[in-house]
Amino acid sequence: MGFLQKIKEWQYQISYKDVDGKYRELSCSGFRTKTEAIIEAEERKRRLNLGYSDASLNGELTFIEYLRNWYDIFKRPNLSPVTNDRNKFFMKTIEKYFNNIRLDELNKSAYQQKINAMEAKYAKTSVNKMNILCAECLSHATYEGHIKRNLSYNIKISGKLSAPASSKYLEIEEAEKLLKVLEDEYQPSYTARGMCIVSLKTGMRLGEIMALTHDTIDFEKNTIHITKSWDYKVTKDFFRQRLKIQCAMYLSTRKQKDC
């Protein structure tokens, strides 16, 4: 990084590698003092290190570009492959609605209008999840000084109602009937039936059940240790969970229960 004093103004010049690994130079002039030039140069270097494009360095940073960089750096590494795969839909939808809006041009009214447009097509739960992603990103943008306040604060979300919970889940009586059918004439070779039984008795997720191994089950204490999950969508491999969970498994039979 170099600085050059011209007549009545300062100029800086930055050398950097672009996304293709080619060396490029970026310069800007018109600063009254060297301090002003240094501050601007350092900010541009910081954005370059975060992977922003040349357009963003010229004051044309779009909300979508900032969202992608924020997600890749701060969000993606902390989520499971399955969750990241599910978030692809939300990210693509957000990109479609916010398109090329610059981050510094986005205001609360414009943000609410985009949410309203999403509500006309998507269920309230989906719109809410997309708003949560945007809110986290905008909160970070506020911290970095790109915007003055988080535009997603107190945003109103209505959207189409999702299917009622009663249509998504089994009632206790229904679950007990299903469990009895699954347990009747059960054999160890019935893998799918066994997975359904474990799900009904413990509430474990599908990926957690698929990742069960003999060393994670304590038959004496009737306890399952959930230490990993199986990524059945993306990597087809184990995914280590950050927290170890112990799940007490209800193993008593209907005969024992009736006694």
Side-chain angles (χ1 to χ4, degrees), residues 22-214:
K22 297 180 180 180
Y23 278 99
R24 297 186 180 276
E25 290 187 348
L26 184 67
S27 62
C28 187
S29 59
F31 299 96
R32 293 186 300 106
T33 65
K34 185 176 182 179
T35 300
E36 291 179 353
I38 292 175
I39 293 174
E40 175 69 19
E42 291 294 339
E43 174 60 18
R44 290 205 168 191
K45 281 183 61 179
R46 185 183 68 82
R47 291 192 184 185
L48 284 168
N49 291 333
L50 290 175
Y52 294 129
S53 67
D54 293 347
S56 71
L57 298 177
N58 292 321
E60 299 175 2
L61 176 62
T62 65
F63 170 62
I64 295 305
E65 183 178 16
Y66 187 83
L67 177 69
R68 288 198 205 104
N69 279 274
W70 166 82
Y71 188 88
D72 288 340
I73 296 172
F74 297 98
K75 198 73 175 176
R76 188 187 303 278
N78 300 312
L79 299 176
S80 70
V82 173
T83 302
N84 275 313
D85 188 57
R86 185 167 58 243
N87 281 345
K88 286 182 181 179
F89 163 75
F90 296 130
M91 295 290 286
K92 288 182 179 179
T93 303
I94 293 170
E95 291 180 15
K96 179 175 67 175
Y97 280 87
F98 283 87
N99 202 6
N100 295 320
I101 298 178
R102 281 171 39 181
L103 182 60
D104 60 355
E105 291 180 338
L106 187 62
N107 55 48
K108 192 174 183 64
S109 296
Y111 185 85
Q112 181 69 70
Q113 288 175 352
K114 298 300 180 182
I115 293 296
N116 294 344
M118 292 180 187
E119 291 173 345
K121 187 174 181 180
Y122 300 102
K124 182 176 181 179
T125 52
S126 296
V127 177
N128 187 55
K129 289 178 181 178
M130 287 185 278
N131 177 59
I132 290 174
L133 276 176
C134 290
E136 291 184 45
C137 175
L138 290 170
S139 178
H140 195 266
T142 305
Y143 174 78
E144 287 195 319
H146 294 289
I147 54 178
K148 293 182 179 180
R149 57 184 63 85
N150 191 337
L151 306 175
S152 64
Y153 173 73
N154 203 29
I155 287 294
K156 307 300 180 184
I157 299 177
S158 54
K160 298 184 295 184
L161 294 177
S162 303
S166 58
S167 66
K168 298 180 181 180
Y169 307 104
L170 296 175
E171 298 292 340
I172 295 178
E173 295 78 8
E174 295 173 325
E176 289 180 343
K177 290 180 180 179
L178 175 59
L179 186 60
K180 184 179 185 305
V181 172
L182 293 170
E183 289 180 329
D184 285 348
E185 301 180 3
Y186 169 75
Q187 296 182 24
S189 59
Y190 298 165
T191 305
R193 182 175 294 202
M195 293 173 66
C196 290
I197 293 173
V198 173
S199 177
L200 285 168
K201 289 190 173 184
T202 66
M204 291 171 62
R205 297 173 179 174
L206 176 59
E208 295 169 343
I209 297 174
M210 294 177 71
L212 287 178
T213 51
H214 289 290

